[in-house]
């Protein structure tokens, strides 16, 4: 009995000490990382906060890459695809609030607000011509909303395994239920433990040569900073409502659209149904996972340029 009491006392002492030590370490390490990993692009004023925009290349098309929900470091994540596309095009990577090097915002993460922020960001860096929106995953619905609201500024949409307005049934209520736990996990520094010990779950495979050790190191750090921040979690909570907000939007018949999707995925039928009325639409099936641009960036870039040149 005495031994059990002693163990109990030791736990009461050491558990809080370990937790506080870990929180202190996580805080110090995060601030150190933010000090050495500087934003490679431009910090642009958007609705009172700074948003990070990265541009590379020049050419006949301006391709705007938009990240999926929770892609913590978009510029790093898209870098191999950017390098390929920018050989003959101007490529712009937008890091929405709460992503990459961008600040966080108090504006609600509705599809309307996020789309307005994308529009203002492009306007504030002087992009006035028509753009090709290239969304990954959830940013597909932002692209549809954008094309509907600013039709004169969209040349085409090329989606990478992206979410569309008719995919409401693909999103479960579990998104909301797990958000509270994620907020607590963020406070406790869980993202650093997750990414440190299971980096293969959150980062491109080490065998993909296009991602250098430095690139992966920066991605790892930014993923730790942003994985469960308030903007990302709020966007997660709004996902189903944002899809519902766009479900009655029909793309204009003459808008060129291309979708890449994973072989064997259930989305093929959904994509075909949504684009049935379009004059110019193509589908490209690729063997891989949801992050097709990680190891199929060359194929995606080539097919995208071929499509835009038609």
């Amino acid at each position: 009995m005495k031994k059990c009491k002693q163990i109990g006392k030791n736990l009461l002492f050491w558990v809080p000490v370990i937790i506080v030590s870990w929180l202190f370490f996580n805080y110090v390490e995060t601030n150190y990382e933010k000090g050495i990993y500087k934003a490679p692009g431009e910090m642009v004023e958007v609705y009172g906060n700074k948003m990070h925009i990265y541009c590379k290349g020049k050419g006949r098309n301006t391709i705007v890459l938009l990240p999926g929900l929770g892609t913590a470091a978009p510029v790093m994540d898209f870098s191999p695809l950017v390098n390929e596309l920018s050989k003959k095009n101007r490529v712009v990577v937008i890091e929405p609030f709460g992503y990459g090097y961008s600040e966080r915002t108090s504006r609600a993460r509705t599809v309307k607000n996020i789309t307005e922020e994308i529009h203002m960001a492009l306007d504030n860096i002087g992009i006035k011509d028509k753009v090709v929106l290239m969304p990954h995953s959830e940013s597909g619905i932002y692209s549809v909303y954008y094309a509907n609201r600013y039709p004169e500024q969209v040349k085409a949409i090329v989606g990478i395994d992206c979410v569309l307005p008719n995919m409401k049934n693909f999103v479960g209520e579990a998104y909301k239920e797990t958000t509270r736990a994620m907020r607590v996990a963020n406070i406790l520094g869980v993202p650093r433990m997750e990414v440190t010990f299971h980096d293969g779950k959150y980062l491109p495979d080490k065998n993909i040569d296009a991602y250098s050790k430095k690139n992966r190191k920066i991605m790892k750090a930014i993923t730790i900073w942003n994985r469960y921040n308030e903007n990302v979690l709020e966007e997660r909570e709004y996902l189903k409502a944002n899809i519902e907000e766009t479900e009655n939007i029909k793309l204009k018949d003459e808008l060129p659209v291309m979708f890449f999707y994973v072989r064997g995925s259930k989305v093929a039928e959904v994509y075909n149904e949504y684009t049935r009325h379009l004059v110019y639409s193509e589908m490209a099936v690729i063997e891989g996972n949801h992050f097709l641009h990680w190891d199929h960036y060359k194929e995606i870039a080539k097919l995208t340029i071929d499509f835009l040149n038609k």
Side-chain angles (χ1 to χ4, degrees):
M1 189 68 179
K2 275 187 176 181
K3 193 173 183 180
C4 288
K5 284 184 178 180
Q6 187 59 44
I7 291 172
K9 285 181 181 179
N10 288 339
L11 287 173
L12 284 173
F13 174 77
W14 284 109
V15 169
V17 168
I18 292 169
I19 292 173
V20 171
S21 299
W22 171 255
L23 293 177
F24 178 73
F25 168 76
N26 184 55
Y27 174 80
V28 171
E29 189 69 7
T30 297
N31 281 279
Y32 168 74
E33 291 164 348
K34 287 183 177 181
I36 61 172
Y37 299 136
K38 302 296 183 181
E42 183 180 355
M43 300 301 291
V44 180
E45 186 84 13
V46 177
Y47 288 102
N49 291 98
K50 297 291 186 182
M51 184 177 286
H52 181 230
I53 314 294
Y54 178 78
C55 302
K56 185 175 182 179
K58 57 184 179 180
R60 60 183 293 188
N61 298 302
T62 297
I63 301 173
V64 179
L65 285 161
L66 301 171
L69 173 61
T71 300
V75 169
M76 299 294 117
D77 184 84
F78 283 131
S79 60
L81 182 58
V82 170
N83 291 337
E84 288 296 315
L85 289 171
S86 63
K87 291 174 182 177
K88 294 183 179 180
N89 302 277
R90 173 167 59 167
V91 182
V92 180
V93 181
I94 291 184
E95 295 194 323
F97 290 127
Y99 289 77
Y101 294 93
S102 293
E103 294 180 348
R104 296 170 193 177
T105 181
S106 59
R107 299 184 85 224
R109 298 295 79 205
T110 62
V111 62
K112 177 178 180 291
N113 285 351
I114 291 171
T115 303
E116 287 176 347
E117 290 157 11
I118 293 168
H119 182 260
M120 181 178 281
L122 292 174
D123 189 61
N124 287 354
I125 61 172
I127 293 180
K128 309 294 183 183
D129 52 336
K130 285 190 172 186
V131 301
V132 177
L133 296 175
M134 197 165 187
H136 173 237
S137 196
E138 283 79 3
S139 57
I141 55 174
Y142 307 144
S143 296
V144 167
Y145 194 94
Y146 193 104
N148 181 67
R149 184 160 183 184
Y150 311 105
E152 71 288 349
Q153 296 178 14
V154 180
K155 183 176 183 178
I157 294 177
V158 179
I160 304 172
D161 209 35
C162 64
V163 176
L164 292 178
N166 53 350
M167 290 186 175
K168 183 173 65 175
N169 294 333
F170 284 65
V171 182
E173 291 298 330
Y175 267 63
K176 284 190 176 182
E177 294 171 6
T178 55
T179 301
R180 288 182 186 175
M182 288 177 174
R183 286 196 170 96
V184 174
N186 193 48
I187 293 169
L188 294 176
V190 171
R192 185 169 296 280
M193 287 186 275
E194 287 181 328
V195 179
T196 299
F197 297 109
H198 300 285
D199 63 348
K201 186 178 178 181
Y202 307 103
L203 304 177
D205 193 285
K206 292 177 182 177
N207 295 321
I208 303 174
D209 294 337
Y211 291 94
S212 65
K213 286 185 178 180
K214 182 179 180 181
N215 182 298
R216 287 177 56 83
K217 195 172 182 180
I218 296 172
M219 283 182 76
K220 183 176 178 179
I222 299 177
T223 300
I224 291 168
W225 311 343
N226 292 333
R227 179 154 167 72
Y228 294 149
N229 75 50
E230 58 266 32
N231 284 165
V232 172
L233 294 184
E234 187 181 353
E235 184 184 356
R236 180 185 172 93
E237 288 181 322
Y238 267 104
L239 179 56
K240 196 163 188 175
N242 283 340
I243 293 176
E244 290 173 348
E245 184 69 21
T246 63
E247 64 184 344
N248 293 321
I249 294 178
K250 184 179 178 182
L251 294 173
K252 293 194 177 298
D253 294 2
E254 65 277 10
L255 181 69
V257 171
M258 182 179 192
F259 291 127
F260 294 93
Y261 64 91
V262 178
R263 185 177 298 282
S265 171
K266 296 177 181 178
V267 302
E269 188 178 333
V270 182
Y271 283 169
N272 285 318
E273 179 62 32
Y274 191 72
T275 60
R276 199 178 301 280
H277 68 287
L278 299 177
V279 178
Y280 308 105
S281 67
E282 287 188 17
M283 305 293 154
V285 187
I286 297 179
E287 204 78 51
N289 61 37
H290 183 51
F291 288 84
L292 289 170
H293 55 278
W294 281 359
D295 46 3
H296 296 283
Y297 57 92
K298 287 186 178 180
E299 184 180 356
I300 289 173
K302 182 183 183 305
L303 291 173
T304 297
I305 293 168
D306 289 346
F307 175 70
L308 296 176
N309 286 340
K310 287 178 181 177

